[in-house]
Amino acid sequence: MRPQLRTVGGIDRLTGSQDGPIAILLSVYNGEAHLNEQLDSFLAQTDQNWCLYWRDDGSCDASRAIMLSFQEHRGQGRCVEIATCPGNLGVASSYAVLLDAAPETAPVAFADQDDVWVPEKLAWARAALSGIAGPALYHARQYLTDDRLTVRGPSLTLRRDPDFRSALIQNCATGHTVLLNPQAAALIRSRQPPAGILHDWWSYVLVLGAGGRVVSDARCVSFYRQHRRNAVGVERSWLVRGLRALRRGPSAFMSLHAGLAARLGEPDCREILTHDARAFLERLAPVSQCGLWGRMRFLTGEAGFVRQRQAETWLFRLWFVLYGRTRPKS
C-alpha cells in the first residue's frame, strides 16, 4: 500500500543524503518502568541503519543503569552516552544537548522513553523524506494507549495542511514521531527555543517558517502511553481537550504563543524565515498593544491563523482578543 502522505511547502537551497545512519535522540528521566520496551522497539526496526545518542537527565531510579546495560550488551557499536552537561536540564535543553552531539550529516529522530515504535517507523520516515532538497520534517499519527499499552484509538487526523501561521498556535508534530533531515536538524541545532517551548514544536514551526517541507503520515508509527508522567499528552476527545484547556486557562498558552513569536523575530531566526513568515510576524507584533477591536480586526484579516479543529480555533480567538497583551515567559 502506498504511504498516505501530505507534503507542505518546499525550498531547494540545500541538498544532502538521507541514506546514512539515523541518529535517534533519547533523553531519559526516571523512566525505568517502560524503558526496556522502547529499547526493544529500536532493535525491532526494519531499518537497522541507526545509532542511539542518549543522556540521563538526573534520574534517581535505574534508568541510567538500564541504558548502560543496553549500551554494553544489546546496543554495542551504535549506542552512545552523551555525558556532557550532567544533571537535570529539563526536556528541551536535554534534547538540545543531544542534537549538538549528533553528527551534522545524519537524519535525526526524536524518541521518548516510555513509548513503543512500530517496526516500520524509521523505514517509513526515511522513505518519506527521500529525495527532498532543503529542510524537511516528517511526523505521523500514533496509537493512544493506557499505561499498559492497551490501545484506546488512533490520534486524530489532520483536517488542514500545517502552515507557519497555524504552527504559531498549535504543534501538530508529536515529538517521538518526528524525523528531521540533516538540513532541518541544522536549523534547530543553531537556534535555541524560547522558555516553555519543547523541541518538537520548535522544530515544527522553524522548519515551516524557513519554507521547508512538512510531511504528514496518516499511519500510526508508535504506541503512545498516556499517563500522569507525560511531559505532554494527547487526547482524542475534543470535549476533554477543551475542558483541559479551560482548566489551564489562557495565561499560560498566550505566554507561550507570545514567547514563540518574539523569539522568531530575533535576528538569528528572522534571517532564515521566508518573506511571508517575516511579514506575518511584523503584522502580529503590534497587535498586542491594540485594544479589543484592534485584535478582532487582525483576526478577521488573517483567515489562516487557526487551529486544526473549529472549536479550538474559536477558543483561541476568544483568548487572543481578551488576553492578547500577555507577555512571553522569561
Side-chain angles (χ1 to χ4, degrees), residues 272-303:
I272 66 164
L273 298 181
T274 65
H275 172 77
D276 287 345
R278 290 196 302 269
F280 179 75
L281 289 175
E282 289 169 1
R283 295 194 301 273
L284 178 64
V287 175
S288 63
Q289 304 305 314
C290 296
L292 296 180
W293 291 112
R295 292 195 285 275
M296 289 179 67
R297 283 196 299 270
F298 176 81
L299 290 177
T300 301
E302 298 290 347

Side-chain angles (χ1 to χ4, degrees), residues 236-274:
R236 279 183 56 82
S237 167
W238 66 268
L239 179 60
V240 173
R241 291 202 312 275
L243 291 174
R244 287 179 179 175
L246 289 172
R247 194 159 51 240
R248 288 192 300 268
S251 180
F253 177 81
M254 293 306 299
S255 292
L256 289 178
H257 164 64
L260 189 56
R263 177 69 183 94
L264 289 165
E266 294 178 7
D268 64 323
C269 292
R270 180 181 169 80
E271 68 182 5
I272 66 164
L273 298 181
T274 65

Side-chain angles (χ1 to χ4, degrees), residues 134-158:
L137 178 152
Y138 165 94
H139 72 107
R141 298 169 69 196
Q142 320 94 51
Y143 296 110
L144 305 181
T145 80
D146 64 14
D147 199 55
R148 298 182 178 183
L149 286 188
T150 301
V151 175
R152 294 172 172 169
S155 60
L156 297 173
T157 57
L158 297 184

Side-chain angles (χ1 to χ4, degrees), residues 221-248:
V221 300
S222 65
F223 296 88
Y224 188 11
R225 279 189 174 93
Q226 301 297 292
H227 53 73
R228 289 177 296 176
R229 298 183 302 279
N230 285 119
V232 176
V234 173
E235 174 57 56
R236 279 183 56 82
S237 167
W238 66 268
L239 179 60
V240 173
R241 291 202 312 275
L243 291 174
R244 287 179 179 175
L246 289 172
R247 194 159 51 240
R248 288 192 300 268

Side-chain angles (χ1 to χ4, degrees), residues 57-75:
D57 199 34
S59 298
C60 55
D61 67 358
S63 292
R64 185 165 183 269
I66 291 170
M67 291 302 305
L68 289 173
S69 176
F70 179 82
Q71 180 168 303
E72 182 177 355
H73 299 292
R74 298 198 292 155

Side-chain angles (χ1 to χ4, degrees), residues 34-42 44-45 112-119 121 142-143 145 149 176 220-225:
H34 306 301
L35 188 51
N36 272 312
E37 289 178 281
Q38 175 66 296
L39 296 173
D40 289 343
S41 74
F42 296 162
Q45 289 298 296
D112 288 348
Q113 65 186 8
D114 51 3
D115 303 314
V116 173
W117 289 0
V118 303
K121 178 188 183 299
Q142 320 94 51
Y143 296 110
T145 80
L149 286 188
H176 64 267
C220 293
V221 300
S222 65
F223 296 88
Y224 188 11
R225 279 189 174 93

